[in-house]
Amino acid sequence: MTARTPPVLVVGAGPTGLAAALTLARNNVPVRIIEKEPQHRRGQRGVGIQPRTFEVFHFLRVPEIHECATAIPPIQEHNKGSLEPLNTFAAMDYMEPTPAIPYYNIKLMGQPTLEAIIREHLAKLGCTVELGTRLISFSQDERCVRAKVVKYRSDGGGEVEEDIEAAYLIGADGAKGMIRKQLGLTFLGTTLENSHMELGDIRLEVEGLDRDHWHIFLQAVALGKDGWQFVIVNPTVDAQDLAQDEAALVNRIKDFVGLGDDAKVKEVMWASAFRPNIRMVNKFGAGRAFVAGDAAHVHSPAGGQGLNSGIQDAFNIAWKIALVYKGLSSASLLDTYTTERLPVIAEMLGLTTQIHKQMFGSNLERAMRRGKNVYMLGVNYRSSPIVVDEFALTSEASVAHSAYGEIQEGILRAGDRAPDAPGLVSVTTLNRAQRLVSSGSYSAVSLPGGVVGSTRMFDIFTSTHHTVIIFAPTSVVPVVQPILVTLQEAVSKQLVQRVVVLPGSHPEPGGHVESRTSSGEGETVDVKVLVDQVGRAYRGYVVEEGEIKVVVVRPDGVVGAIVRGVAGLVRYFEGVFEKRGGVLAMEDAVQV
């Protein structure tokens, strides 16, 4: 990339904007990210991180988020003005992680901490957030987006304007942002008029109020970890007035917690009146400009879906922009951002509204018993026009499937999340200096004791590549050869990783695994060959004994295709790349 290459402009440096910028930067796409605030935010806001979002950060190689996040503490209910607990219960049932689902529990992290971690990774890639910079207008044509921004001068010399020519624009500027409005996108929905909330962060000192629980005072004030975060539900005083009157707010909190002046509020870090809106756009972009996160949808905070949905919006659009930006895919690929995310968000609004009504009902403990769909592991794009599934039953095509469902054990369809599978042992890795196996020859590789040097699917998947996984009884099955040669000749290895997974026929440590394959007439094939020693990959990807199955996993960790051979791969990759720079005429590469 040269200095004159137009960047992608991301507006808004919250979790959504940062996730978009990081995905683009990982894909070597120049990006600028601007934030109108002069300083990074202090408020915690969304603190719950769902399992599916931890997977996103795994693929983006940001392990610190899961490592540093904390478990949700138990909840204690109190009478108003009393620290004596009435009831103590678990906020969420603990889920034991599985080989297919390594992240199976919601954890907590304050938004400032989350954002700081992502910013550190962005900085390593040469991208920093431009604070005190706001977008005031933009226009676009078929070639670019022209944005006008105003920047605060750090020397106190007022503001300066800058014109930015960008390849694409991603609006992560929140519900009140101007990008959605200028694009003319509708934002239809309703406001929950009877649900007034006051929320914010305080520094509170109260003897006897432990930090090992979330504390609920008559379901009116919730004080949580990381400082103290409070939520006042349906305050008798107008919420907006309370937000603007710090003394009244402090007295209100003291009233609920009890102990009068013994409850010392040292600082109100931030406070805001809130009335849940249930709204979403009719489409997620127009031309070269797109919206994500709160700029595209707003809803009740109940269920902890907002921050997570925004990050997953960003991940979806960013890997697609990267391909189109590089001339590897047609601009029509960007239309699938709306096609895939719209049904998901529509169902999410219904889910969060239902949880909101339960949360503010009469039984909080019952309301906390939510379905596993809040984990977002069942969010899927089965109806997407670019996924290909040759194993789905014809009868399934006519059955409506929830875009926000729960994981169905023993069922995997194109458009679902790709499961993890640890314990994959490398047999051999091929590069230009090493052929897989010549026709008729064998390689015998001794496996070390245990599974030293093993890998897992999630460590293979990355935000920069598609991954083609070929499940086959042996690597000499006739269908494997044309698949590998087709990928080698038709798809750039910079775009697609090739993996052959063989069944673990020799599970005992110290055994031998024999594999052979034909790579054509001296063709060099770049492929990683793995043995699924204990069968976790074969179970997770629902591969029957002796069956040949080819699975394509997209850069966002979604199964793009489940096919039987070359013909299915042709359909999928031409749907994504459309015979542009990333793929040649695949039919011409190998005749099938």
Side-chain angles (χ1 to χ4, degrees):
M1 301 295 177
T2 68
R4 294 183 179 179
T5 302
V8 174
L9 179 61
V10 178
V11 180
T16 298
L18 289 168
L22 182 58
T23 305
L24 291 164
R26 287 271 186 238
N27 279 274
N28 198 31
V29 173
V31 57
R32 289 181 65 176
I33 177 169
I34 64 174
E35 169 58 50
K36 66 180 181 180
E37 299 298 331
Q39 295 179 331
H40 298 300
R41 300 182 187 89
R42 298 178 66 190
Q44 303 305 308
R45 295 173 173 85
V47 297
I49 304 179
Q50 302 291 345
R52 185 68 172 270
T53 304
F54 285 126
E55 295 183 357
V56 170
F57 287 123
H58 190 116
F59 305 143
L60 286 171
R61 304 299 184 252
V62 189
E64 305 95 313
I65 291 177
H66 186 261
E67 292 168 358
C68 298
T70 59
I72 299 179
I75 290 176
Q76 276 191 352
E77 288 185 291
H78 306 261
N79 273 324
K80 177 181 175 181
S82 171
L83 296 181
E84 186 71 26
L86 294 175
N87 185 25
T88 301
F89 58 92
M92 300 287 290
D93 291 331
Y94 176 79
M95 298 296 298
E96 189 67 36
T98 70
I101 308 174
Y103 308 112
Y104 217 158
N105 292 281
I106 303 172
K107 297 178 74 175
L108 305 177
M109 174 176 283
Q111 193 166 318
T113 305
L114 173 70
E115 293 174 359
I117 291 172
I118 303 175
R119 288 197 303 269
E120 287 181 9
H121 282 266
L122 265 177
K124 292 176 183 177
L125 297 171
C127 177
T128 57
V129 175
E130 300 175 40
L131 292 170
T133 305
R134 74 179 191 275
L135 177 70
I136 58 174
S137 67
F138 70 91
S139 62
Q140 62 173 314
D141 56 30
E142 293 182 355
R143 191 178 67 84
C144 68
V145 176
R146 295 176 180 84
K148 184 178 290 294
V149 302
V150 171
K151 308 181 74 169
Y152 293 101
R153 291 181 52 169
S154 58
D155 59 4
E159 299 179 338
V160 293
E161 289 188 356
E162 179 186 0
D163 293 320
I164 300 175
E165 186 173 289
Y168 294 94
L169 175 67
I170 298 178
D173 52 345
K176 297 180 180 178
M178 57 86 68
I179 295 176
R180 180 190 69 248
K181 298 173 184 176
Q182 186 165 329
L183 288 175
L185 306 180
T186 63
F187 206 45
L188 299 178
T190 60
T191 300
L192 300 182
E193 297 290 349
N194 297 324
S195 296
H196 298 270
M197 304 172 69
E198 177 77 23
L199 63 162
D201 293 346
I202 57 173
R203 295 178 59 209
L204 175 67
E205 184 178 297
V206 180
E207 186 176 345
L209 190 68
D210 69 74
R211 301 180 65 83
D212 299 322
H213 298 83
W214 276 354
H215 297 273
I216 310 294
F217 292 82
L218 284 181
Q219 301 180 24
V221 178
L223 300 173
K225 203 169 182 179
D226 195 6
W228 292 96
Q229 186 176 56
F230 69 86
V231 180
I232 302 177
V233 179
N234 289 333
T236 54
V237 180
D238 183 86
Q240 192 63 48
D241 293 340
L242 206 58
Q244 297 173 355
D245 188 339
E246 183 172 316
L249 175 61
V250 169
N251 288 333
R252 188 68 169 164
I253 293 173
K254 287 182 176 181
D255 183 40
F256 274 104
V257 175
L259 305 181
D261 291 336
D262 290 335
K264 298 178 181 178
V265 179
K266 297 181 177 180
E267 179 187 6
V268 178
M269 300 171 67
W270 73 279
S272 176
F274 180 76
R275 196 168 49 178
N277 281 280
I278 316 298
R279 301 181 185 278
M280 65 180 292
V281 292
N282 56 323
K283 58 180 180 177
F284 278 68
R288 290 176 169 268
F290 303 89
V291 291
D294 288 351
H297 44 81
V298 293
H299 48 86
S300 167
Q305 305 293 284
L307 175 147
N308 298 274
S309 294
I311 289 172
Q312 291 167 43
D313 288 345
F315 204 32
N316 186 291
I317 185 58
W319 74 264
K320 295 171 181 176
I321 285 180
L323 288 179
V324 178
Y325 183 96
K326 296 175 183 179
L328 302 173
S329 295
S330 164
S332 62
L333 178 65
L334 304 180
D335 296 336
T336 65
Y337 175 43
T338 289
T339 307
E340 293 183 345
R341 294 300 293 170
L342 204 64
V344 170
I345 297 304
E347 289 196 30
M348 185 268 288
L349 296 188
L351 173 66
T352 54
T353 301
Q354 179 184 6
I355 294 174
H356 178 93
K357 293 176 179 178
Q358 293 172 344
M359 285 284 291
F360 303 133
S362 59
N363 190 310
L364 180 63
E365 182 174 2
R366 186 183 304 123
M368 296 299 292
R369 303 303 178 196
R370 305 162 185 170
K372 293 181 183 179
N373 51 356
V374 298
Y375 300 154
M376 310 175 91
L377 296 168
V379 168
N380 66 86
Y381 308 136
R382 290 188 184 184
S383 60
S384 171
I386 59 171
V387 304
V388 176
D389 197 328
E390 295 181 343
F391 285 78
L393 300 175
T394 305
S395 58
E396 293 179 359
S398 60
V399 178
H401 180 79
S402 171
Y404 223 85
E406 296 184 12
I407 286 184
Q408 299 169 287
E409 190 172 347
I411 297 176
L412 183 70
R413 293 287 175 256
D416 292 352
R417 66 174 281 280
D420 195 10
L424 302 174
V425 179
S426 178
V427 175
T428 181
T429 300
L430 298 167
N431 52 38
R432 292 183 178 179
Q434 186 179 26
R435 294 174 183 173
L436 186 56
V437 180
S438 298
S439 178
S441 66
Y442 289 79
S443 67
V445 181
S446 180
L447 297 178
V451 288
V452 176
S454 67
T455 188
R456 58 193 284 201
M457 284 296 187
F458 273 17
D459 287 346
I460 297 172
F461 302 156
T462 172
S463 60
T464 60
H465 290 77
H466 277 78
T467 302
V468 175
I469 311 167
I470 306 169
F471 293 92
T474 71
S475 56
V476 294
V477 176
V479 75
V480 174
Q481 175 186 344
I483 292 172
L484 292 176
V485 175
T486 296
L487 291 171
Q488 187 75 7
E489 295 183 355
V491 185
S492 168
K493 68 178 181 180
Q494 304 301 321
L495 301 175
V496 177
Q497 303 180 102
R498 295 93 164 157
V499 179
V500 174
V501 180
L502 306 175
S505 56
H506 296 273
E508 294 299 321
H512 287 72
V513 172
E514 292 187 346
S515 66
R516 73 172 186 174
T517 189
S518 169
S519 58
E521 298 179 1
E523 293 286 345
T524 298
V525 179
D526 290 307
V527 61
K528 179 178 291 186
V529 182
L530 303 171
V531 173
D532 185 18
Q533 270 202 313
V534 293
R536 290 166 177 156
Y538 273 69
R539 284 194 296 273
Y541 286 81
V542 197
V543 183
E544 302 294 336
E545 183 177 356
E547 183 178 52
I548 298 166
K549 181 177 284 190
V550 183
V551 178
V552 181
V553 179
R554 309 186 328 183
D556 58 354
V558 171
V559 176
I562 306 177
V563 299
R564 303 180 188 278
V566 172
L569 285 178
V570 169
R571 286 178 57 202
Y572 175 75
F573 281 117
E574 289 191 351
V576 172
F577 297 116
E578 291 191 352
K579 295 188 181 180
R580 296 179 70 85
V583 61
L584 304 175
M586 296 184 73
E587 310 98 306
D588 298 333
V590 174
Q591 297 296 321
V592 294

